[in-house]
Amino acid sequence: MFVHLLFFQVPLKPGRSLMDWIRLTKSGKDLTGLKGRLIEVTEDELAKHNTKEDCWICIRGFVYNVTPYMEYHPGGEDELMKAAGTDGTDLFDQVHRWVNYESMLKECLVGRMAVKPVAAPKEISPTLSEEKKRLNGMVPEKKVLSASVKDLTPSYDWFQTESLITVVIYTKQKDMNAELVIVDCQDKRLRGEVVVGDQSYLVNVDLDNAVQEDMAVNITEKVGKVEIILKKKDNVHWEKLGQPLESHNTFIKRTDRGLFYRKCKLVSKTEVTHDTKLFCLTLPKSTHLRVPAGQHVYLKQIIAGTEVVKPYTPVLPFLPLDFKEPSHHDGGHIYLMIKIYSHGLFTQALDHLQIGDYISVSSPEGNFKKSQVQSLEDLFLLAAGTGFTPMVKLLDFALAQVSSLRRVKLIFFNKTEDDILWRDQLEQLALKDERFEVQFVLSQPTKDWVGKEGKISSSLLSEFVKRSRKDSKVLICICGPTPFTEQGVQYLKDLGYSQEEIHAFTA
């Protein structure tokens, strides 16, 4: 729900923009109704504040009066009301744990919960908490881990030569690859994260001595060994690798880890359409990061003293036209296709960045898995506007690496011809690869337009989304503004497609 702090999805009244909200929070006005006092809130007290005129919400043990925020919330009042008078932590985590609610809502803070609120996660029993520490935080819901699961917990070791430090992570996984390993070495802090399914293993230390900027990461895919090779700044003998930092040597659910950001430099900005630009960011030399197909990153900026965060799905610098071999894209850069909104606080700030400026970029997130595509025959992509961005890497992966694929069809919805992203490239790809087809649909075409007109509808989807044969294995991916995505998913279900055959990208 709180995603809508940053996503403009329902029309706001004049004077109710994000900038207007930031101004209000800095005006000195009492937004809690408590004249600056902080109180302890009981479960019963929280439950009383459950109307649009009086709405309190608990997030991670802190209670906020979000009543003054109602009209500024671009997702609409109904979204906030889902958590009115209750603990909204679970809802918040399901949708967008990345939004910095502490910064956005700090002037609305009522106080702390006095007792455990409704819907809070169950406490782990004392007997399990010791086991949790012993097993680096990996605890199943109702039972202590079996010996076989313990054996699968990753571990690490390190060794040195006169000039090198090598940190080795033993993932105990057979199919480890570069996209599952994220390494950052900044100011003597080494952070190495390995993704294992929905879990994440972390090595996080303040190194004993300084190291050089350039770093190498070697992955032995078949045995799951990851080597992080650092060059010593001085050829001295290290007594230890370093001091453990927060969450070092833990193996926990990936969504329970805080997001980690690194500063990336803007190296180019090119026009894609009249209002959309392709930003190229370069990663630091001491970072190893590959964004998998279907996953997004978060950009973070300080705007008017408030930390603002927004998700974007990285794309490729261009659409490849030859899929005889899997493409190997430069891992040192991140490409983002971003629509610049004339009244969009965040995108205007992005557009004002100069070449050479820095912006904070998070590690990748997202619930899309390549295994969803591996044995497909039909892949349908439904995109509206910049909802096209998750489709770029997906197209590349499917056409290059899914041998069972018979057909990929992109149905691309836009307002006008001028809004179509990479139209020439898509048309070239359709000519070059007989498996690929693209259909453009415009809602505000000129009289010269000879293509399809209209918006997403059941009749349009029934015409375009058809299996190549009766029982072919199909996946339909959809991305765009929330109403587009929600309507599209419903139409597809009405047409008989199952939940497993539909993937909605929601950043």
Side-chain angles (χ1 to χ4, degrees):
M1 66 183 198
F2 294 92
V3 57
H4 305 301
L5 285 166
L6 298 172
F7 273 8
F8 301 112
Q9 294 177 345
V10 297
L12 292 172
K13 294 177 187 173
R16 295 295 182 271
S17 69
L18 175 57
M19 195 68 228
D20 292 314
W21 172 251
I22 290 172
R23 283 194 199 101
L24 179 62
T25 63
K26 296 183 187 309
S27 68
K29 190 174 177 183
D30 176 17
L31 299 181
T32 63
L34 298 173
K35 297 180 178 164
R37 287 181 302 126
L38 289 176
I39 62 171
E40 275 205 328
V41 182
T42 63
E43 210 171 309
D44 289 342
E45 182 63 29
L46 177 64
K48 290 176 191 171
H49 301 271
N50 64 352
T51 65
K52 286 182 182 177
E53 296 72 36
D54 180 17
C55 182
W56 289 10
I57 292 173
C58 173
I59 310 175
R60 301 201 205 293
F62 290 93
V63 179
Y64 298 89
N65 179 359
V66 298
T67 318
Y69 184 65
M70 286 283 177
E71 289 192 345
Y72 295 84
H73 187 242
E77 295 174 353
D78 292 346
E79 284 293 324
L80 282 177
M81 288 305 297
K82 285 177 185 174
T86 66
D87 184 352
T89 306
D90 283 352
L91 272 171
F92 173 77
D93 282 345
Q94 281 167 26
V95 186
H96 285 299
R97 65 193 183 87
W98 48 271
V99 172
N100 190 339
Y101 61 89
E102 297 105 320
S103 180
M104 280 287 191
L105 299 175
K106 62 189 171 192
E107 300 305 325
C108 300
L109 180 65
V110 170
R112 278 182 179 271
M113 285 301 297
V115 291
K116 181 169 74 73
V118 175
K122 290 178 181 171
E123 299 261 340
I124 295 169
S125 69
T127 52
L128 272 181
S129 64
E130 281 311 302
E131 190 66 19
K132 176 175 179 178
K133 286 175 195 167
R134 197 158 60 77
L135 298 176
N136 296 329
M138 184 178 165
V139 178
E141 282 181 66
K142 293 188 178 169
K143 60 185 178 185
V144 174
L145 292 170
S146 65
S148 62
V149 175
K150 288 183 206 175
D151 293 342
L152 291 174
T153 303
S155 61
Y156 83 100
D157 202 351
W158 72 283
F159 55 89
Q160 64 182 309
T161 65
E162 193 175 301
S163 59
L164 300 176
I165 295 288
T166 302
V167 179
V168 185
I169 299 174
Y170 303 99
T171 69
K172 302 171 188 174
Q173 300 295 309
K174 283 180 182 169
D175 296 314
M176 191 47 50
N177 65 62
E179 291 182 345
L180 301 175
V181 179
I182 304 162
V183 183
D184 290 272
C185 194
Q186 302 171 357
D187 304 322
K188 278 182 64 198
R189 175 183 179 176
L190 174 67
R191 186 184 188 280
E193 184 178 0
V194 176
V195 178
V196 179
D198 295 328
Q199 306 278 121
S200 150
Y201 177 72
L202 185 68
V203 171
N204 193 20
V205 291
D206 183 14
L207 294 170
D208 205 32
N209 289 282
V211 292
Q212 295 180 35
E213 245 195 344
D214 48 339
M215 166 194 78
V217 175
N218 295 335
I219 300 161
T220 313
E221 297 190 7
K222 287 182 177 160
V223 295
K225 187 171 80 170
V226 176
E227 291 181 334
I228 304 166
I229 302 162
L230 307 168
K231 293 180 184 173
K232 295 178 179 178
K233 234 178 190 164
D234 304 301
N235 292 350
V236 294
H237 182 78
W238 290 27
E239 297 302 322
K240 58 184 187 296
L241 181 61
Q243 284 294 116
L245 294 169
E246 186 187 358
S247 301
H248 171 64
N249 196 27
T250 56
F251 189 42
I252 60 174
K253 268 184 78 175
R254 197 177 177 198
T255 49
D256 289 342
R257 271 215 203 285
L259 283 170
F260 183 79
Y261 289 84
R262 74 278 302 145
K263 291 213 174 279
C264 296
K265 187 195 285 189
L266 177 64
V267 291
S268 70
K269 193 167 39 169
T270 52
E271 208 167 90
V272 179
T273 68
H274 62 101
D275 63 359
T276 303
K277 294 180 180 176
L278 186 68
F279 289 71
C280 175
L281 306 173
T282 187
L283 291 163
K285 275 186 185 176
S286 52
T287 292
H288 168 96
L289 184 154
R290 308 283 185 273
V291 183
Q295 294 203 4
H296 51 269
V297 295
Y298 301 105
L299 302 188
K300 180 167 69 176
Q301 297 191 95
I302 306 295
I303 299 174
T306 298
E307 193 176 273
V308 186
V309 180
K310 196 165 180 185
Y312 291 98
T313 305
V315 297
L316 302 173
F318 53 83
L319 273 182
L321 297 175
D322 191 348
F323 296 104
K324 285 176 185 155
E325 293 177 14
S327 45
H328 296 284
H329 301 292
D330 165 27
H333 295 90
I334 290 178
Y335 294 88
L336 300 166
M337 197 181 285
I338 297 174
K339 183 172 181 175
I340 310 298
Y341 293 90
S342 56
H343 298 295
L345 189 65
F346 195 89
T347 59
Q348 284 293 325
L350 272 182
D351 197 31
H352 284 104
L353 288 175
Q354 301 297 309
I355 303 303
D357 285 350
Y358 286 84
I359 185 160
S360 295
V361 180
S362 80
S363 297
E365 285 223 326
N367 58 5
F368 184 82
K369 293 181 173 64
K370 285 182 176 177
S371 56
Q372 293 170 253
V373 185
Q374 291 289 12
S375 54
L376 284 185
E377 293 168 76
D378 296 323
L379 175 62
F380 294 98
L381 309 173
L382 309 178
T386 48
F388 168 63
T389 56
M391 311 308 180
V392 176
K393 285 191 174 186
L394 195 48
L395 258 177
D396 180 40
F397 172 72
L399 290 170
Q401 299 188 47
V402 182
S403 56
S404 56
L405 203 64
R406 291 165 175 244
R407 185 171 52 155
V408 182
K409 189 169 183 179
L410 170 67
I411 299 105
F412 197 179
F413 296 81
N414 285 282
K415 285 183 180 174
T416 70
E417 276 187 85
D418 290 342
D419 295 320
I420 301 173
L421 302 166
W422 280 1
R423 180 180 179 177
D424 289 348
Q425 292 192 46
L426 288 166
E427 289 175 339
Q428 279 180 47
L429 180 56
L431 289 171
K432 183 95 177 173
D433 195 311
E434 60 186 18
R435 296 169 298 169
F436 177 66
E437 184 185 339
V438 62
Q439 183 81 48
F440 301 114
V441 184
L442 300 183
S443 59
Q444 296 174 16
T446 62
K447 60 179 186 298
D448 301 330
W449 177 248
V450 293
K452 202 75 184 171
E453 297 179 23
K455 294 188 175 182
I456 195 165
S457 65
S458 186
S459 60
L460 190 145
L461 292 183
S462 65
E463 180 186 340
F464 287 149
V465 183
K466 291 178 181 170
R467 297 174 195 268
S468 56
R469 58 186 183 82
K470 191 180 176 185
D471 56 351
S472 69
K473 192 168 180 192
V474 64
L475 181 69
I476 306 162
C477 295
I478 183 166
C479 188
T482 299
F484 169 88
T485 303
E486 288 176 350
Q487 287 168 11
V489 168
Q490 191 54 57
Y491 294 144
L492 290 167
K493 286 181 178 174
D494 294 345
L495 289 169
Y497 291 97
S498 68
Q499 187 71 52
E500 292 69 40
E501 293 174 323
I502 303 166
H503 182 89
F505 285 104
T506 51

